[in-house]
Amino acid sequence: MARLGWLGRIDHFDRWFTHFAKLDCPAASDITRRQLDWSPTEAGLLVDIDQDYYFEG
């Protein structure tokens, strides 16, 4: 990926990832939680991103 540069990366992801991003596939973790008897123990994604350390220089 480092060899592509920004424009190459955009082109690379635009080719295959856009298809998946546009799909109307709602998802939830309740099946995984039930099957694996699992539940998250850490902060959620948005809470984690809001922390000062996430975007440190």
Side-chain angles (χ1 to χ4, degrees):
M1 272 303 171
R3 293 176 272 148
L4 291 176
W6 284 108
L7 292 177
R9 290 177 193 174
I10 291 170
D11 183 50
H12 171 78
F13 284 107
D14 190 43
R15 278 187 264 143
W16 67 272
F17 183 74
T18 304
H19 167 73
F20 295 105
K22 290 181 180 180
L23 290 175
D24 184 16
C25 296
S29 65
D30 54 327
I31 294 172
T32 302
R33 290 176 189 213
R34 275 195 313 271
Q35 288 181 346
L36 301 178
D37 192 28
W38 172 85
S39 63
T41 58
E42 302 294 326
L45 177 62
L46 297 179
V47 171
D48 194 34
I49 288 174
D50 199 33
Q51 301 302 310
D52 294 334
Y53 60 80
Y54 198 84
F55 290 106
E56 283 182 354

